[in-house]
């Protein structure tokens, strides 16, 4: 049973930083694990924020976070991180960690990921 558990959300003023963590456990065979972050703000569609492959550390970022967010991983700890700097009010959302054992898609969509955490709230005030 694969489990995904996020931590690290909170409230911060614009310009501040937060670091999200996610532990993914339960994979029996590590083939091509992709882990990443999605977010959903009230009345907006869910969007893929950043994903990373355990094979080569290649990462994808949605345009709105490029240069501000960094995704990284510690495969020994089955953990993925999202360092969020220069936060803006429009980054306010519920952030979800997700994983799939079938490799990273070129552009992440929620249907590509079968395992999800419960989410952690990020609130950025002006």
């Amino acid at each position: 049973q694969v489990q995904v558990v996020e931590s690290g959300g909170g409230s911060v003023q614009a310009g501040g930083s937060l670091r999200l963590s996610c532990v993914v456990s339960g994979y029996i065979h590590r083939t091509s694990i992709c882990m990443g972050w999605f977010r959903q703000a009230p009345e907006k569609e869910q969007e893929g924020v950043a994903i990373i492959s355990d094979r080569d550390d290649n990462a994808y970022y949605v345009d709105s976070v490029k240069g501000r967010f960094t995704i990284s991983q510690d495969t020994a700890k089955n953990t993925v991180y999202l360092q969020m700097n220069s936060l803006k009010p429009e980054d306010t959302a519920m952030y979800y960690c997700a994983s799939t054992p079938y490799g990273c898609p070129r552009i992440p969509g929620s249907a590509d990921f079968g395992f999800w955490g419960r989410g952690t709230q990020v609130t950025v005030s002006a």
Side-chain angles (χ1 to χ4, degrees), residues 6-10 18-22 37-38 69-70 72 79-84 94-97 120-122:
E6 310 100 331
S7 61
L18 284 172
R19 188 192 196 205
L20 305 184
S21 299
C22 172
W37 296 92
F38 288 73
F69 290 11
T70 302
S72 61
T79 302
V80 63
Y81 306 97
L82 186 67
Q83 179 66 43
M84 305 185 293
M94 185 70 79
Y95 283 70
Y96 298 90
C97 182
T120 185
Q121 178 68 37
V122 171

Side-chain angles (χ1 to χ4, degrees), residues 81-93:
Y81 306 97
L82 186 67
Q83 179 66 43
M84 305 185 293
N85 298 329
S86 302
L87 281 161
K88 304 176 180 180
E90 51 263 44
D91 294 317
T92 295

